[in-house]
Amino acid sequence: MPTTLPLLLLMGTWLFALGAVVGSFLNVCIYRIPWQKSVIWPASHCPRCWSAIAARDNVPIFGWLALGGKCRSCRNPISVRYPLIEALVGLLFVAIFIVDVIHGRRVWQGELPTWLFTTWLFHAILIALLVASTFIDYDLYIIPDAITLTGMIAGVALGTVYPWIRPEPSTALTAWGGFWTGVAGLLIGGGLTGTVRLLGSLAVGREAMGFGDVTLMAMIGAFLGWQAAVLTFFIAPFFGLAHALGKLAKYIVKRLSGAKSSSADREIPFGPYLSMAAVALVLSWPWLWDGWAKDLFHTLLVLFLWVTMGVEG
């Protein structure tokens, strides 16, 4: 496929629109999946007057703007979060298009190989699952298995059908290799998080991390491989630092003022920051791996072998 600036702009605009449509569907999933409701039926409606939302009002972003953020029938306010999620997914779809397609490593003489769009789709599926997990966890402090188990299956299955699709060094040459790479990512991502969860719970005498974080990390590992999963786990706290400091400040103020505090004042959802870290790695991995991460893992491997051989000696 030849590349020209007008064509790239047209494709970017189309992918933003597609992302906004996917974001609109994710809004439904975020609201209904935790309550085990169908995401297909009934049609979207106002929670106050139960009026069905007309097709013209259901156009992503523009529908909300045209309504002025209020129900057409009863004027009940509609949260601005809906169009923001639609815009967020649209922008993320364009961002991975830039990384996976425009800056794809195997672009020859101005041509875009069509298989690069398979990589884009692979990452778009992961991002959609991460967005849904993020906002459900923010709202309810849970990550439904319906999302993460589906993601695990999709990550392993797609990596088996397209063994080259994962980022380096988790690419494979055969379907069998792609399958086991996904399984290894799933087990190491979930196992690392599960181990920290167990040790943290024993240390503090209560649940230190939800099991949804374990399944979320397993899903990320199934899509991206174990190296990216490990990095996701260790950089996620940096994304949640501001939220944690805000919670700490609020908790201290309550204690000093004598106000009654609750467990919610000391807890933050970790899933959103795992998701943010995973998305950041998807968008930066082509440069991150060659520029820094490859040497890091090589150094860690050397240290591990040195310690192991030293203990055995």
Short mmCIF file of all heavy atoms in Angstrom, two decimals, residues 17-39:
data_model
loop_
_atom_site.label_atom_id
_atom_site.label_comp_id
_atom_site.label_asym_id
_atom_site.label_seq_id
_atom_site.Cartn_x
_atom_site.Cartn_y
_atom_site.Cartn_z
N ALA A 17 -12.44 7.75 14.25
CA ALA A 17 -13.89 7.54 14.27
C ALA A 17 -14.21 6.12 14.73
O ALA A 17 -15.14 5.89 15.52
CB ALA A 17 -14.47 7.80 12.88
N LEU A 18 -13.45 5.14 14.23
CA LEU A 18 -13.65 3.75 14.66
C LEU A 18 -13.42 3.62 16.15
O LEU A 18 -14.19 2.96 16.86
CB LEU A 18 -12.71 2.83 13.88
CG LEU A 18 -12.72 1.35 14.30
CD1 LEU A 18 -14.09 0.73 14.05
CD2 LEU A 18 -11.64 0.57 13.55
N GLY A 19 -12.35 4.24 16.64
CA GLY A 19 -12.08 4.19 18.08
C GLY A 19 -13.19 4.82 18.90
O GLY A 19 -13.53 4.31 19.98
N ALA A 20 -13.77 5.91 18.40
CA ALA A 20 -14.87 6.55 19.12
C ALA A 20 -16.08 5.62 19.18
O ALA A 20 -16.78 5.56 20.20
CB ALA A 20 -15.24 7.86 18.44
N VAL A 21 -16.34 4.90 18.11
CA VAL A 21 -17.44 3.93 18.10
C VAL A 21 -17.17 2.81 19.10
O VAL A 21 -18.05 2.40 19.86
CB VAL A 21 -17.65 3.37 16.68
CG1 VAL A 21 -18.66 2.22 16.71
CG2 VAL A 21 -18.13 4.46 15.74
N VAL A 22 -15.93 2.30 19.09
CA VAL A 22 -15.56 1.26 20.06
C VAL A 22 -15.68 1.81 21.48
O VAL A 22 -16.17 1.13 22.39
CB VAL A 22 -14.13 0.76 19.79
CG1 VAL A 22 -13.66 -0.17 20.91
CG2 VAL A 22 -14.07 0.04 18.44
N GLY A 23 -15.26 3.06 21.68
CA GLY A 23 -15.38 3.68 22.99
C GLY A 23 -16.83 3.78 23.44
O GLY A 23 -17.14 3.60 24.63
N SER A 24 -17.73 4.06 22.49
CA SER A 24 -19.15 4.11 22.82
C SER A 24 -19.65 2.76 23.30
O SER A 24 -20.41 2.65 24.27
CB SER A 24 -19.95 4.56 21.58
OG SER A 24 -21.33 4.62 21.87
N PHE A 25 -19.20 1.70 22.63
CA PHE A 25 -19.57 0.34 23.06
C PHE A 25 -18.94 0.03 24.42
O PHE A 25 -19.58 -0.61 25.27
CB PHE A 25 -19.12 -0.67 22.02
CG PHE A 25 -19.36 -2.10 22.42
CD1 PHE A 25 -20.64 -2.60 22.51
CD2 PHE A 25 -18.30 -2.94 22.72
CE1 PHE A 25 -20.88 -3.92 22.91
CE2 PHE A 25 -18.50 -4.25 23.10
CZ PHE A 25 -19.80 -4.74 23.19
N LEU A 26 -17.71 0.48 24.64
CA LEU A 26 -17.06 0.23 25.93
C LEU A 26 -17.81 0.93 27.06
O LEU A 26 -17.84 0.43 28.19
CB LEU A 26 -15.61 0.70 25.88
CG LEU A 26 -14.67 -0.11 24.98
CD1 LEU A 26 -13.27 0.49 25.01
CD2 LEU A 26 -14.62 -1.58 25.39
N ASN A 27 -18.38 2.09 26.79
CA ASN A 27 -19.19 2.76 27.81
C ASN A 27 -20.33 1.86 28.28
O ASN A 27 -20.65 1.80 29.47
CB ASN A 27 -19.77 4.06 27.25
CG ASN A 27 -18.79 5.22 27.31
OD1 ASN A 27 -18.00 5.33 28.25
ND2 ASN A 27 -18.82 6.07 26.30
N VAL A 28 -20.93 1.16 27.33
CA VAL A 28 -22.00 0.21 27.67
C VAL A 28 -21.43 -0.93 28.51
O VAL A 28 -22.00 -1.34 29.52
CB VAL A 28 -22.68 -0.33 26.40
CG1 VAL A 28 -23.73 -1.38 26.75
CG2 VAL A 28 -23.32 0.80 25.61
N CYS A 29 -20.28 -1.46 28.07
CA CYS A 29 -19.65 -2.57 28.79
C CYS A 29 -19.27 -2.18 30.21
O CYS A 29 -19.48 -2.94 31.16
CB CYS A 29 -18.40 -3.04 28.04
SG CYS A 29 -18.72 -3.77 26.41
N ILE A 30 -18.71 -0.98 30.37
CA ILE A 30 -18.29 -0.51 31.69
C ILE A 30 -19.47 -0.41 32.64
O ILE A 30 -19.37 -0.74 33.83
CB ILE A 30 -17.59 0.86 31.55
CG1 ILE A 30 -16.24 0.69 30.83
CG2 ILE A 30 -17.39 1.53 32.90
CD1 ILE A 30 -15.64 1.98 30.31
N TYR A 31 -20.61 0.00 32.11
CA TYR A 31 -21.80 0.17 32.95
C TYR A 31 -22.48 -1.17 33.24
O TYR A 31 -22.96 -1.40 34.37
CB TYR A 31 -22.79 1.11 32.25
CG TYR A 31 -24.07 1.34 33.02
CD1 TYR A 31 -24.09 2.18 34.13
CD2 TYR A 31 -25.25 0.71 32.64
CE1 TYR A 31 -25.26 2.39 34.84
CE2 TYR A 31 -26.43 0.91 33.35
CZ TYR A 31 -26.43 1.75 34.45
OH TYR A 31 -27.59 1.94 35.14
N ARG A 32 -22.51 -2.08 32.26
CA ARG A 32 -23.35 -3.27 32.41
C ARG A 32 -22.61 -4.52 32.87
O ARG A 32 -23.18 -5.34 33.60
CB ARG A 32 -24.05 -3.56 31.07
CG ARG A 32 -24.98 -2.46 30.62
CD ARG A 32 -25.76 -2.88 29.40
NE ARG A 32 -26.61 -1.81 28.86
CZ ARG A 32 -27.47 -1.98 27.87
NH1 ARG A 32 -27.60 -3.16 27.29
NH2 ARG A 32 -28.19 -0.95 27.45
N ILE A 33 -21.38 -4.73 32.42
CA ILE A 33 -20.69 -6.00 32.71
C ILE A 33 -20.57 -6.27 34.21
O ILE A 33 -20.80 -7.42 34.65
CB ILE A 33 -19.31 -6.04 32.02
CG1 ILE A 33 -19.50 -6.26 30.51
CG2 ILE A 33 -18.44 -7.13 32.61
CD1 ILE A 33 -18.19 -6.30 29.73
N PRO A 34 -20.23 -5.29 35.05
CA PRO A 34 -20.13 -5.60 36.49
C PRO A 34 -21.44 -6.12 37.09
O PRO A 34 -21.41 -6.85 38.09
CB PRO A 34 -19.75 -4.25 37.11
CG PRO A 34 -19.09 -3.49 36.02
CD PRO A 34 -19.83 -3.90 34.77
N TRP A 35 -22.56 -5.76 36.48
CA TRP A 35 -23.86 -6.20 36.99
C TRP A 35 -24.40 -7.39 36.20
O TRP A 35 -25.56 -7.75 36.34
CB TRP A 35 -24.86 -5.04 36.96
CG TRP A 35 -24.33 -3.82 37.64
CD1 TRP A 35 -23.91 -2.65 37.08
CD2 TRP A 35 -24.10 -3.67 39.05
NE1 TRP A 35 -23.45 -1.78 38.02
CE2 TRP A 35 -23.56 -2.37 39.25
CE3 TRP A 35 -24.32 -4.49 40.16
CZ2 TRP A 35 -23.23 -1.89 40.51
CZ3 TRP A 35 -23.98 -4.01 41.42
CH2 TRP A 35 -23.44 -2.71 41.59
N GLN A 36 -23.52 -7.98 35.36
CA GLN A 36 -23.86 -9.16 34.57
C GLN A 36 -25.10 -8.94 33.69
O GLN A 36 -25.94 -9.81 33.52
CB GLN A 36 -24.07 -10.37 35.49
CG GLN A 36 -22.82 -10.73 36.28
CD GLN A 36 -23.00 -11.96 37.14
OE1 GLN A 36 -24.10 -12.45 37.36
NE2 GLN A 36 -21.89 -12.48 37.66
N LYS A 37 -25.16 -7.74 33.12
CA LYS A 37 -26.23 -7.42 32.19
C LYS A 37 -25.75 -7.59 30.76
O LYS A 37 -24.55 -7.49 30.48
CB LYS A 37 -26.70 -5.97 32.39
CG LYS A 37 -27.33 -5.69 33.74
CD LYS A 37 -27.78 -4.24 33.83
CE LYS A 37 -28.45 -3.93 35.16
NZ LYS A 37 -28.90 -2.50 35.23
N SER A 38 -26.66 -7.84 29.85
CA SER A 38 -26.31 -7.98 28.44
C SER A 38 -25.81 -6.65 27.90
O SER A 38 -26.38 -5.59 28.20
CB SER A 38 -27.53 -8.43 27.63
OG SER A 38 -27.27 -8.35 26.24
N VAL A 39 -24.75 -6.70 27.10
CA VAL A 39 -24.22 -5.48 26.49
C VAL A 39 -24.88 -5.22 25.13
O VAL A 39 -24.55 -4.24 24.46
CB VAL A 39 -22.69 -5.56 26.33
CG1 VAL A 39 -22.02 -5.68 27.68
CG2 VAL A 39 -22.29 -6.71 25.42
#
